[in-house]
Amino acid sequence: GENVEQHPSTLSVQEGDSAVIKCTYSDSASNYFPWYKQELGKGPQLIIDIRSNVGEKKDQRIAVTLNKTAKHFSLHITETQPEDSAVYFCAASPPGTYKYIFGTGTRLKVLA
Amino acid sequence: NAGVTQTPKFRVLKTGQSMTLLCAQDMNHEYMYWYRQDPGMGLRLIHYSVGEGTTAKGEVPDGYNVSRLKKQNFLLGLESAAPSQTSVYFCASSSDDRALGETQYFGPGTRLLVL
């Protein structure tokens, strides 16, 4: 069935360094790829998304890249800050379904 | 505009008891979803609805039932709770209008403990 693998499961970086989280999806027809941030005790919140007709998207310190041939996409956070500490989830959405297949999450810790 | 709200925030049940989790959204979204979140397993889709009066099974539907009698509400029922249903439950909603995007908006979650 459809599957999204996410790595690493935990990531610790020093404040100011960059963080990269990678996801691989199995359904080559997937065409929408959102990234969510979940803070402790809260629901996931969308931070950035990308569609299959775009290779890269950037929003201030956050960027997402998509490689359709390899079926993987990555989240890049630059100049990390303590408030970036959270669990991040990637997801892939097959066309016409409005359903997401989520990765298993990455716990990011930004050390001050 | 409250977005997506969930009731209750936390509940403790005994094995065999029943309960209903309520999700409400005020964004006029057609699509609504129920997920469960367990450590190391991410978010797994239980049931979803593509409009008022419709429901469909997701990835892990067993032991749960849902109803969408009103567009703004999506109810998740546990008829006979089991310890394996201890989890955090999230509701989400999204628009069916591609022009508005397909982002799912999540509620704050309901933490359920089944003893």
Side-chain angles (χ1 to χ4, degrees), chain A residues 25-99:
Chain A
Y25 59 99
S26 60
D27 186 348
S28 58
S30 295
N31 62 357
Y32 177 67
F33 306 91
W35 283 90
Y36 283 82
K37 176 183 181 182
Q38 186 178 24
E39 296 177 337
L40 192 62
K42 297 184 178 181
Q45 277 201 309
L46 181 77
I47 54 171
I48 195 167
D49 56 9
I50 192 168
R51 295 187 181 278
S52 58
N53 59 348
V54 176
E56 183 174 359
K57 184 177 179 180
K58 190 174 181 180
D59 182 3
Q60 299 183 332
R61 296 187 297 108
I62 295 173
V64 56
T65 58
L66 172 64
N67 182 329
K68 287 192 295 182
T69 302
K71 293 190 289 185
H72 71 242
F73 56 112
S74 300
L75 178 71
H76 304 254
I77 306 175
T78 59
E79 301 172 20
T80 53
Q81 301 167 2
E83 52 265 37
D84 294 329
S85 295
V87 179
Y88 292 81
F89 290 97
C90 64
S93 181
T97 66
Y98 290 93
K99 291 192 292 183

Side-chain angles (χ1 to χ4, degrees), chain B residues 1-114:
Chain B
N1 189 332
V4 179
T5 57
Q6 293 183 232
T7 308
K9 288 184 170 55
F10 176 69
R11 184 76 182 269
V12 179
L13 287 179
K14 293 181 180 179
T15 297
Q17 286 185 320
S18 63
M19 79 163 295
T20 300
L21 284 67
L22 172 63
C23 175
Q25 53 94 5
D26 61 2
M27 295 175 282
N28 200 36
H29 284 168
E30 285 292 334
Y31 288 57
M32 296 187 75
Y33 314 82
W34 275 108
Y35 292 91
R36 60 178 289 171
Q37 184 176 39
D38 303 294
M41 302 190 75
L43 291 144
R44 293 183 293 169
L45 184 65
I46 304 171
H47 286 281
Y48 65 102
S49 169
V50 299
E52 182 178 316
T54 74
T55 63
K57 294 180 180 180
E59 183 185 356
V60 287
D62 294 341
Y64 305 95
N65 56 74
V66 288
S67 63
R68 183 101 182 267
L69 298 180
K70 293 183 179 181
K71 184 177 183 179
Q72 63 268 35
N73 295 337
F74 196 28
L75 278 62
L76 178 71
L78 286 73
E79 290 185 350
S80 180
S84 60
Q85 294 178 303
T86 293
S87 188
V88 182
Y89 292 86
F90 287 100
C91 176
S93 71
S94 67
S95 171
D96 65 331
D97 186 343
R98 288 287 185 184
L100 296 177
E102 54 206 290
T103 301
Q104 290 187 17
Y105 296 87
F106 283 81
T110 293
R111 187 174 297 274
L112 177 65
L113 175 62
V114 182

